[in-house]
Amino acid sequence: MITVGLTFDLKDDYRRLGYSEEAIAEFDTIETIEAIDENLRALGYHTVRIGNLFSAVHFLASDKRCDIVFNIAEGMHGIAREAQIPALLDAYQIPHVFSSASAMNLTLDKALTKMVIREAGIPTAPFTVIRHIKELNDVNLPFPLFVKPVAEGTSKGIDGYSLIDTREKLHSSCAFLLNAFHQPVLLETFLPGREFTVGIVGSGKKARALGVMEIVFNDACPDKIYSYSVKKEYEKYVTYRLANDKLAKQCAKLALAAWNEIDGKDAGRVDFRTDRNGVPNFVEVNPLAGLNPTYSDLPILARLSNYPYRELIGEIMQSALERAGIKEEANDESGYQTSHYSA
């Protein structure tokens, strides 16, 4: 039987350490961990809950091992934080689901990712990065602009102040973001059109678009941007719907090209928004997409596509096992109990 270690950042662990709700916004609830664990066991895997980076270090230093790791840990510190556990597992030659440390390191830096995507010929909005407020004097992008931290997820650092139509607002918003997030700020030409996210499953030539979901902003939604506050109350502010028109199909094709360009593995999401001419522009790629079965975008997209959550988890595992050359078959509904590891 294949033993799957689970690595994750649990919100409650960081609340106990005094971190704010926004600081831990990307992390997972116990309900998400239990959903993944329960479905892995139902698929016939033996699971071991390891926890965050520090628990993983202790786990490995204690000479404990597993066959493969289902890693959804986002990491707390540094722009390379999503790469920390994959890199640690690489050092111990333990395979893991989802993309490599190098892909994780690239994609959390949204500016570097846009450079790679632009070089590949995929449309993305003109952009620049500032590391100090004085650098705004050299910014010549036309208004309206959109600003956000260069390396955050879950739309952290995105809200009404992100949409910029004057130089005064540009200065105040960038000053706020530089001070609040302690990282460079990405400035992009604002994309005023339709917003899509494309779900991807698989790796390399076997990667496929699971579906294209359009985020439709309700009348109550302020500013019509998919912000941190909108995501927290998504049932009030947005409607999710599958899109299958010509534009959606174009997004799916571009998403697969972007996915392979960053060497994405097993599953993820690629986001697009159309410009004033209706052309879909790459926004960002998420190779570590949320997996809460109720409110994360990829499971929502799967649900709208009549693709059960368990099948999504199973396909992620099969993709990773195939890449790792692990051929042992899991047994359905094995009834094995989950092991718990305490650092």
Side-chain angles (χ1 to χ4, degrees):
M1 171 164 291
I2 296 171
T3 296
V4 182
L6 301 176
T7 51
F8 50 84
D9 285 302
L10 189 64
K11 285 178 184 279
D12 289 343
D13 289 342
Y14 292 88
R15 286 192 182 105
R16 284 192 286 272
L17 296 172
Y19 287 94
S20 69
E21 288 303 308
E22 186 171 27
I24 63 173
E26 293 181 90
F27 296 167
D28 288 292
T29 63
I30 189 62
E31 290 78 15
T32 303
I33 309 308
E34 289 175 343
I36 294 170
D37 194 347
E38 175 188 334
N39 281 278
L40 286 171
R41 284 184 284 122
L43 289 163
Y45 300 104
H46 177 227
T47 60
V48 180
R49 295 188 192 183
I50 298 172
N52 63 23
L53 173 66
F54 304 103
S55 295
V57 168
H58 194 273
F59 179 87
L60 294 168
S62 301
D63 286 332
K64 298 179 186 299
R65 295 292 185 269
C66 50
D67 298 307
I68 191 169
V69 168
F70 199 106
N71 171 51
I72 58 168
E74 303 275 357
M76 173 55 83
H77 299 293
I79 288 181
R81 58 189 180 273
E82 289 185 352
Q84 291 166 346
I85 283 186
L88 177 67
L89 295 171
D90 287 347
Y92 282 82
Q93 297 182 293
I94 298 174
H96 54 85
V97 303
F98 299 132
S99 299
S100 67
S102 59
M104 296 291 188
N105 192 28
L106 167 69
T107 55
L108 192 57
D109 189 320
K110 301 179 194 309
L112 286 179
T113 307
K114 282 168 67 74
M115 290 180 190
V116 171
I117 293 299
R118 184 177 60 188
E119 187 68 18
I122 299 169
T124 190
F127 67 98
T128 190
V129 174
I130 65 158
R131 293 167 178 79
H132 191 279
I133 201 69
K134 292 181 179 177
E135 295 174 13
L136 286 179
N137 295 329
D138 300 323
V139 172
N140 295 314
L141 292 171
F143 294 107
L145 296 174
F146 195 78
V147 298
K148 59 186 178 184
V150 78
E152 292 294 343
T154 319
S155 292
K156 287 169 62 178
I158 295 177
D159 221 315
Y161 54 73
S162 296
L163 185 53
I164 306 293
D165 57 3
T166 67
R167 188 154 287 274
E168 289 73 23
K169 288 182 180 178
L170 179 62
H171 188 281
S172 62
S173 291
C174 288
F176 167 73
L177 291 172
L178 287 167
N179 181 62
F181 290 90
H182 307 288
Q183 61 180 269
V185 175
L186 176 65
L187 289 68
E188 302 172 278
T189 297
F190 178 62
L191 301 168
R194 296 168 67 187
E195 180 150 348
F196 302 93
T197 188
V198 183
I200 304 287
V201 289
S203 312
K205 293 182 179 178
K206 293 187 177 180
R208 64 186 177 87
L210 179 62
V212 181
M213 185 171 78
E214 183 170 6
I215 293 93
V216 181
F217 299 101
N218 300 337
D219 291 341
C221 182
D223 304 309
K224 305 296 185 282
I225 56 176
Y226 203 29
S227 65
Y228 175 65
S229 56
V230 167
K231 283 189 175 181
K232 286 199 298 183
E233 297 185 81
Y234 68 95
E235 291 174 309
K236 176 181 178 182
Y237 292 130
V238 299
T239 299
Y240 299 119
R241 70 182 181 197
L242 282 183
N244 197 34
D245 57 17
K246 183 178 178 180
L247 192 58
K249 291 176 180 175
Q250 188 179 359
C251 287
K253 183 178 180 180
L254 291 171
L256 281 172
W259 185 248
N260 286 321
E261 196 63 33
I262 61 105
D263 198 24
K265 304 294 186 190
D266 304 333
R269 286 184 14 250
V270 187
D271 299 340
F272 292 89
R273 192 156 176 155
T274 57
D275 63 19
R276 64 178 59 187
N277 298 314
V279 177
N281 278 239
F282 169 91
V283 176
E284 63 183 60
V285 55
N286 189 343
L288 200 57
L291 286 176
N292 182 282
T294 302
Y295 56 73
S296 293
D297 284 356
L298 183 60
I300 290 173
L301 191 157
R303 189 163 63 244
L304 292 174
S305 304
N306 295 317
Y307 189 70
Y309 184 75
R310 184 165 299 171
E311 287 190 33
L312 174 63
I313 298 297
E315 187 164 351
I316 291 169
M317 280 300 304
Q318 285 303 314
S319 174
L321 290 171
E322 185 175 320
R323 290 191 296 106
I326 300 175
K327 297 181 179 178
E328 181 182 350
E329 294 293 334
N331 301 312
D332 288 346
E333 305 293 349
S334 66
Y336 269 65
Q337 298 298 308
T338 300
S339 299
H340 295 267
Y341 170 72
S342 298

